[in-house]
Amino acid sequence: MSSPTSQDLLARLAQVIESRKPEAGGDPDKSYVARLFSKGTDAILKKVGEEATEMVMAGKDGVADKIVYEVADLWFHSMIALAHFGLRPADVLAELVRREGLSGLEEFALRKVNQREKDEE
């Protein structure tokens, strides 16, 4: 039996998160994710911010296990935010594929050009 790919794992986790939405029958009394969805956008985004801060603090400590743990929390809560906005991990992966082969400087310059064009419309 082959091991699942990272993309498979993200897709499965996204399905679980979707199933916890109140409109999918998620019960806020029984599910942390359902409770977070029921609290709305601000609560979800606040949690992503908290997890990002905890990841930064773990990075400052330089302890590999703590960094991995906090990045996992950040990714998980970011996936909840994605689901809240009707997005999926595949959308993020597609964006990373689009950026593959571009230098960070090229990507940044391209974003500036695209934003300038939007502003002129």
Side-chain angles (χ1 to χ4, degrees), residues 3-66:
S3 62
T5 66
S6 299
Q7 190 169 351
D8 293 337
L9 174 62
L10 292 174
R12 283 196 318 273
L13 184 54
Q15 286 177 327
V16 170
I17 290 169
E18 285 291 329
S19 75
R20 300 300 195 267
K21 286 182 171 181
E23 59 268 24
D27 183 349
D29 293 328
K30 296 181 181 175
S31 165
Y32 167 77
V33 174
R35 187 175 308 138
L36 200 50
F37 277 129
S38 71
K39 290 180 178 180
T41 304
D42 287 347
I44 292 167
L45 296 178
K46 180 180 177 189
K47 192 63 184 171
V48 172
E50 289 171 7
E51 296 302 340
T53 299
E54 290 174 10
M55 186 261 141
V56 169
M57 291 170 25
K60 295 288 273 178
D61 291 343
V63 179
D65 289 349
K66 286 172 74 174

Side-chain angles (χ1 to χ4, degrees), residues 85-103:
F85 291 108
L87 300 166
R88 303 189 65 79
D91 298 314
V92 177
L93 294 172
E95 175 61 13
L96 291 172
V97 166
R98 185 191 70 76
R99 294 181 187 187
E100 189 175 20
L102 285 177
S103 80

Side-chain angles (χ1 to χ4, degrees), residues 74-94:
L74 178 57
W75 285 12
F76 178 74
H77 288 88
S78 294
M79 289 180 66
I80 294 170
L82 286 171
H84 179 72
F85 291 108
L87 300 166
R88 303 189 65 79
D91 298 314
V92 177
L93 294 172

